[in-house]
Amino acid sequence: MSKLRPVILLTGFGPFPGVQENASAALVPELASQARKLFPGHHVEAAVLPTEWRAGPAAAAALIGELMPVAALHFGVSGKARGFVVESRGHNHARPICDAAGRLPSSDRLSPEGPDILAASVPAARIVERLRRRALPASLSRDAGGYLCNAVLYGSLERARQASRPMRCGFVHLPATLGLASAPFRAGVRLDWPQAIEGGLEIVAAALGRPPRAC
Ligand code: PCA
């Protein structure tokens, strides 16, 4: 049954040095269960990726290869994000930062033959507009950082380019303090949990080319 329906893949990340509880890992399953109700014509798959140079992008690529989703939307957290930060592109580079397994990237390039930049295949600017129209804090970013979020975005975009069918692929950073009971609204973070779910559903709708949901 699921194979007959187009697939939406949602991913979050597990913990990594400095972030013991990654909000994206808790958000994605909840977002997926809401998305299943809202988009019954789609099969929604949720996964939490290891924040590891080798295993993270490999897990994302394996899921994409297996599921061939029409949309692959990746979520992660950033200490700098104050609301939704929608990434418009992935860079072919890796900074020497330790992953959750204590390892560094094997090279400063993610893909030896790949282009320097790959543009997100979701309408990133339009997503920001749609989130703001719902009065949700959102900004557009041209730099997903040099760590695993950028690596997964770049890797998925590269994988999507080889696919025979079009795939909308994007990345959204969320505030690192999102949903943490011990750190509610800190340093200008303006996003709470219900808003993160509401915005997440709007992002899925936008990626599918659906009209904005009623407020
Ligand atoms: N944030 C990190 C990796 C995992 C996550 O949630 C990043 O911004 O690269």
Side-chain angles (χ1 to χ4, degrees):
M1 170 65 182
S2 70
K3 290 220 165 65
L4 301 175
R5 289 182 286 167
V7 176
I8 300 167
L9 172 64
L10 305 175
T11 74
F13 274 106
F16 59 97
V19 172
Q20 292 318 305
E21 274 178 66
N22 193 321
S24 68
L27 184 83
V28 156
E30 199 175 323
L31 187 57
S33 83
Q34 300 280 337
R36 283 180 194 117
K37 293 180 209 149
L38 214 59
F39 308 105
H42 287 74
H43 174 80
V44 184
E45 194 77 28
V48 177
L49 306 173
T51 314
E52 297 177 26
W53 287 110
R54 202 185 293 256
L63 284 165
I64 288 170
E66 180 197 328
L67 300 168
M68 295 307 277
V70 290
L73 302 171
H74 305 294
F75 293 84
V77 298
S78 160
K80 287 191 218 142
R82 299 290 170 258
F84 292 97
V85 179
V86 183
E87 303 297 340
S88 62
R89 53 200 204 161
H91 291 254
N92 188 1
H93 78 108
R95 283 208 215 118
I97 305 171
C98 269
D99 66 11
R103 294 204 187 89
L104 292 169
S106 54
S107 157
D108 62 356
R109 269 182 95 72
L110 297 169
S111 166
E113 308 297 332
D116 289 346
I117 288 172
L118 286 173
S121 52
V122 291
R126 177 91 187 99
I127 289 174
V128 170
E129 223 175 82
R130 284 175 61 153
L131 292 169
R132 286 185 180 162
R133 225 173 263 167
R134 302 187 77 88
L136 296 170
S139 58
L140 189 66
S141 160
R142 289 158 59 83
D143 183 0
Y147 195 37
L148 262 306
C149 291
N150 175 69
V152 161
L153 173 60
Y154 186 92
S156 293
L157 287 167
E158 210 181 24
R159 182 74 188 72
R161 290 208 318 169
Q162 299 153 5
S164 50
R165 281 184 277 143
M167 184 185 110
R168 291 286 179 97
C169 175
F171 198 100
V172 179
H173 270 114
L174 301 159
T177 56
L178 178 71
L180 291 187
S182 55
F185 285 97
R186 199 199 270 171
V189 169
R190 294 173 293 135
L191 192 70
D192 64 18
W193 196 261
Q195 288 174 316
I197 297 290
E198 178 192 343
L201 292 172
E202 188 67 19
I203 292 166
V204 176
L208 296 178
R210 297 283 180 89
R213 299 167 51 242
C215 288

PDB file of all heavy atoms in Angstrom, residues 13 16 22 51 76-77 147-149 173, ligand 1:
ATOM      1  N   PHE A  13      18.116  14.793  13.571  1.00  0.00           N
ATOM      2  CA  PHE A  13      19.440  14.299  13.948  1.00  0.00           C
ATOM      3  C   PHE A  13      19.463  13.889  15.413  1.00  0.00           C
ATOM      4  O   PHE A  13      18.749  14.470  16.238  1.00  0.00           O
ATOM      5  CB  PHE A  13      20.492  15.406  13.777  1.00  0.00           C
ATOM      6  CG  PHE A  13      21.071  15.502  12.399  1.00  0.00           C
ATOM      7  CD1 PHE A  13      20.696  16.532  11.558  1.00  0.00           C
ATOM      8  CD2 PHE A  13      22.007  14.585  11.951  1.00  0.00           C
ATOM      9  CE1 PHE A  13      21.245  16.653  10.288  1.00  0.00           C
ATOM     10  CE2 PHE A  13      22.563  14.693  10.690  1.00  0.00           C
ATOM     11  CZ  PHE A  13      22.192  15.728   9.856  1.00  0.00           C
ATOM     12  N   PHE A  16      24.869  15.406  19.457  1.00  0.00           N
ATOM     13  CA  PHE A  16      26.247  15.593  18.992  1.00  0.00           C
ATOM     14  C   PHE A  16      26.959  16.428  20.038  1.00  0.00           C
ATOM     15  O   PHE A  16      26.303  16.985  20.940  1.00  0.00           O
ATOM     16  CB  PHE A  16      26.269  16.220  17.586  1.00  0.00           C
ATOM     17  CG  PHE A  16      25.605  17.565  17.440  1.00  0.00           C
ATOM     18  CD1 PHE A  16      26.349  18.744  17.490  1.00  0.00           C
ATOM     19  CD2 PHE A  16      24.227  17.672  17.239  1.00  0.00           C
ATOM     20  CE1 PHE A  16      25.739  19.985  17.337  1.00  0.00           C
ATOM     21  CE2 PHE A  16      23.614  18.904  17.077  1.00  0.00           C
ATOM     22  CZ  PHE A  16      24.379  20.064  17.127  1.00  0.00           C
ATOM     23  N   ASN A  22      18.698  16.584  21.000  1.00  0.00           N
ATOM     24  CA  ASN A  22      18.507  17.291  19.740  1.00  0.00           C
ATOM     25  C   ASN A  22      17.004  17.398  19.470  1.00  0.00           C
ATOM     26  O   ASN A  22      16.320  16.395  19.275  1.00  0.00           O
ATOM     27  CB  ASN A  22      19.210  16.525  18.615  1.00  0.00           C
ATOM     28  CG  ASN A  22      19.311  17.357  17.349  1.00  0.00           C
ATOM     29  OD1 ASN A  22      18.388  18.071  16.996  1.00  0.00           O
ATOM     30  ND2 ASN A  22      20.437  17.259  16.672  1.00  0.00           N
ATOM     31  N   THR A  51      24.523  11.792  13.997  1.00  0.00           N
ATOM     32  CA  THR A  51      25.303  12.997  13.674  1.00  0.00           C
ATOM     33  C   THR A  51      26.768  12.588  13.523  1.00  0.00           C
ATOM     34  O   THR A  51      27.624  12.916  14.347  1.00  0.00           O
ATOM     35  CB  THR A  51      25.110  14.078  14.763  1.00  0.00           C
ATOM     36  OG1 THR A  51      23.712  14.175  15.053  1.00  0.00           O
ATOM     37  CG2 THR A  51      25.602  15.441  14.298  1.00  0.00           C
ATOM     38  N   GLY A  76      17.439  19.994  11.562  1.00  0.00           N
ATOM     39  CA  GLY A  76      18.507  19.915  12.550  1.00  0.00           C
ATOM     40  C   GLY A  76      18.443  21.163  13.413  1.00  0.00           C
ATOM     41  O   GLY A  76      17.580  22.030  13.194  1.00  0.00           O
ATOM     42  N   VAL A  77      19.323  21.263  14.390  1.00  0.00           N
ATOM     43  CA  VAL A  77      19.302  22.441  15.271  1.00  0.00           C
ATOM     44  C   VAL A  77      20.585  23.247  15.116  1.00  0.00           C
ATOM     45  O   VAL A  77      21.623  22.727  14.701  1.00  0.00           O
ATOM     46  CB  VAL A  77      19.108  22.049  16.760  1.00  0.00           C
ATOM     47  CG1 VAL A  77      17.780  21.344  16.965  1.00  0.00           C
ATOM     48  CG2 VAL A  77      20.272  21.209  17.282  1.00  0.00           C
ATOM     49  N   TYR A 147      29.081  21.607   8.962  1.00  0.00           N
ATOM     50  CA  TYR A 147      29.007  20.392   9.791  1.00  0.00           C
ATOM     51  C   TYR A 147      28.024  19.401   9.155  1.00  0.00           C
ATOM     52  O   TYR A 147      27.822  19.414   7.945  1.00  0.00           O
ATOM     53  CB  TYR A 147      28.609  20.825  11.208  1.00  0.00           C
ATOM     54  CG  TYR A 147      28.812  19.822  12.302  1.00  0.00           C
ATOM     55  CD1 TYR A 147      29.898  18.961  12.340  1.00  0.00           C
ATOM     56  CD2 TYR A 147      27.885  19.749  13.355  1.00  0.00           C
ATOM     57  CE1 TYR A 147      30.068  18.045  13.370  1.00  0.00           C
ATOM     58  CE2 TYR A 147      28.046  18.850  14.401  1.00  0.00           C
ATOM     59  CZ  TYR A 147      29.139  17.988  14.401  1.00  0.00           C
ATOM     60  OH  TYR A 147      29.290  17.090  15.433  1.00  0.00           O
ATOM     61  N   LEU A 148      27.423  18.554   9.958  1.00  0.00           N
ATOM     62  CA  LEU A 148      26.609  17.456   9.416  1.00  0.00           C
ATOM     63  C   LEU A 148      25.331  17.910   8.723  1.00  0.00           C
ATOM     64  O   LEU A 148      24.855  17.226   7.799  1.00  0.00           O
ATOM     65  CB  LEU A 148      26.283  16.470  10.534  1.00  0.00           C
ATOM     66  CG  LEU A 148      27.174  15.222  10.613  1.00  0.00           C
ATOM     67  CD1 LEU A 148      27.226  14.471   9.286  1.00  0.00           C
ATOM     68  CD2 LEU A 148      28.605  15.587  10.981  1.00  0.00           C
ATOM     69  N   CYS A 149      24.757  19.028   9.129  1.00  0.00           N
ATOM     70  CA  CYS A 149      23.508  19.467   8.473  1.00  0.00           C
ATOM     71  C   CYS A 149      23.803  19.800   7.020  1.00  0.00           C
ATOM     72  O   CYS A 149      23.085  19.375   6.114  1.00  0.00           O
ATOM     73  CB  CYS A 149      22.900  20.655   9.211  1.00  0.00           C
ATOM     74  SG  CYS A 149      22.278  20.184  10.838  1.00  0.00           S
ATOM     75  N   HIS A 173      16.987  24.535   9.707  1.00  0.00           N
ATOM     76  CA  HIS A 173      17.553  24.577  11.053  1.00  0.00           C
ATOM     77  C   HIS A 173      16.521  25.151  12.032  1.00  0.00           C
ATOM     78  O   HIS A 173      15.785  26.076  11.690  1.00  0.00           O
ATOM     79  CB  HIS A 173      18.800  25.487  11.080  1.00  0.00           C
ATOM     80  CG  HIS A 173      20.079  24.762  10.797  1.00  0.00           C
ATOM     81  ND1 HIS A 173      20.831  25.001   9.660  1.00  0.00           N
ATOM     82  CD2 HIS A 173      20.743  23.812  11.515  1.00  0.00           C
ATOM     83  CE1 HIS A 173      21.912  24.218   9.703  1.00  0.00           C
ATOM     84  NE2 HIS A 173      21.878  23.489  10.810  1.00  0.00           N
TER      85      HIS A 173
HETATM   86  N1  PCA B   1      22.865  20.352  13.867  1.00  0.00           N
HETATM   87  C1  PCA B   1      24.194  20.191  13.357  1.00  0.00           C
HETATM   88  C2  PCA B   1      24.311  18.743  12.999  1.00  0.00           C
HETATM   89  C3  PCA B   1      23.148  18.067  13.648  1.00  0.00           C
HETATM   90  C4  PCA B   1      22.262  19.161  14.066  1.00  0.00           C
HETATM   91  O1  PCA B   1      21.129  19.038  14.541  1.00  0.00           O
HETATM   92  C5  PCA B   1      24.518  21.151  12.198  1.00  0.00           C
HETATM   93  O2  PCA B   1      23.993  22.277  12.192  1.00  0.00           O
HETATM   94  O3  PCA B   1      25.293  20.799  11.316  1.00  0.00           O
END
